[in-house]
Amino acid sequence: MTNEELDALVVWLDELPCCHDGPHETSARCKSCEKTVADAITALRAIPAVQPSPDVAALVEAMVTIRCAILEALRSSSDMDYCLNLSGLAARTDLPRETLRGIIADMRAEGLVSHHKGLWSEEGTPGGAGYAITDDGRAALARVKGGDA
């Protein structure tokens, strides 16, 4: 973990709300939650910073490229009010369905894509289920591409 990643994680941890209901006199968290967050931050700070190797950097770049291809395919389809299933994504990205399935699951968990059931084709026949880009997905694509997506 790099120093920048560690600092970002500490900020995220420090912004976590209390998991217990009720007003707290001195902070947004109760003493128990405050201690848990402080302990987690202390433990994180004890981890030595590691700079990613060039191999890791290349893998990260490849994953960003793959995710951008998926988001771009979904963005293009959503411009026409369409969702894409795994077969449609595979055809547009040249990625195997098995690969797409895992990546899409991660992207759904991050809120970049959404899953829709009970879709219909333009001919009025059942179309099954598919995926669409979310507003967060559009924003992520715009950030990576450095402009509007």
mmCIF file of all heavy atoms in Angstrom, residues 36 45 81 99 136:
data_model
loop_
_atom_site.group_PDB
_atom_site.id
_atom_site.type_symbol
_atom_site.label_atom_id
_atom_site.label_comp_id
_atom_site.label_asym_id
_atom_site.label_seq_id
_atom_site.Cartn_x
_atom_site.Cartn_y
_atom_site.Cartn_z
ATOM 1 N N THR A 36 -12.538 2.045 18.144
ATOM 2 C CA THR A 36 -12.370 1.086 17.056
ATOM 3 C C THR A 36 -11.720 1.748 15.846
ATOM 4 O O THR A 36 -10.783 1.208 15.257
ATOM 5 C CB THR A 36 -13.741 0.486 16.655
ATOM 6 O OG1 THR A 36 -14.306 -0.160 17.798
ATOM 7 C CG2 THR A 36 -13.598 -0.511 15.518
ATOM 8 N N ARG A 45 -1.362 2.560 10.066
ATOM 9 C CA ARG A 45 -0.124 3.354 10.046
ATOM 10 C C ARG A 45 1.106 2.495 10.335
ATOM 11 O O ARG A 45 2.213 2.842 9.969
ATOM 12 C CB ARG A 45 -0.220 4.499 11.040
ATOM 13 C CG ARG A 45 -1.287 5.508 10.658
ATOM 14 C CD ARG A 45 -0.690 6.881 10.503
ATOM 15 N NE ARG A 45 -1.700 7.854 10.177
ATOM 16 C CZ ARG A 45 -1.809 8.404 8.975
ATOM 17 N NH1 ARG A 45 -1.006 8.055 8.026
ATOM 18 N NH2 ARG A 45 -2.739 9.299 8.732
ATOM 19 N N ASP A 81 -31.232 3.836 -24.666
ATOM 20 C CA ASP A 81 -32.115 3.229 -23.664
ATOM 21 C C ASP A 81 -32.085 1.704 -23.703
ATOM 22 O O ASP A 81 -33.106 1.050 -23.505
ATOM 23 C CB ASP A 81 -33.564 3.725 -23.805
ATOM 24 C CG ASP A 81 -33.692 5.184 -23.420
ATOM 25 O OD1 ASP A 81 -32.927 5.624 -22.543
ATOM 26 O OD2 ASP A 81 -34.546 5.874 -23.986
ATOM 27 N N THR A 99 -14.963 -13.904 -18.038
ATOM 28 C CA THR A 99 -14.177 -12.770 -17.536
ATOM 29 C C THR A 99 -15.103 -11.619 -17.183
ATOM 30 O O THR A 99 -14.976 -11.003 -16.124
ATOM 31 C CB THR A 99 -13.146 -12.320 -18.593
ATOM 32 O OG1 THR A 99 -12.291 -13.420 -18.901
ATOM 33 C CG2 THR A 99 -12.328 -11.141 -18.112
ATOM 34 N N ASP A 136 -22.753 7.002 -11.387
ATOM 35 C CA ASP A 136 -21.391 6.844 -10.854
ATOM 36 C C ASP A 136 -20.463 6.246 -11.899
ATOM 37 O O ASP A 136 -19.290 6.617 -11.986
ATOM 38 C CB ASP A 136 -21.394 5.956 -9.602
ATOM 39 C CG ASP A 136 -21.978 6.652 -8.385
ATOM 40 O OD1 ASP A 136 -22.153 7.892 -8.415
ATOM 41 O OD2 ASP A 136 -22.265 5.950 -7.394
#
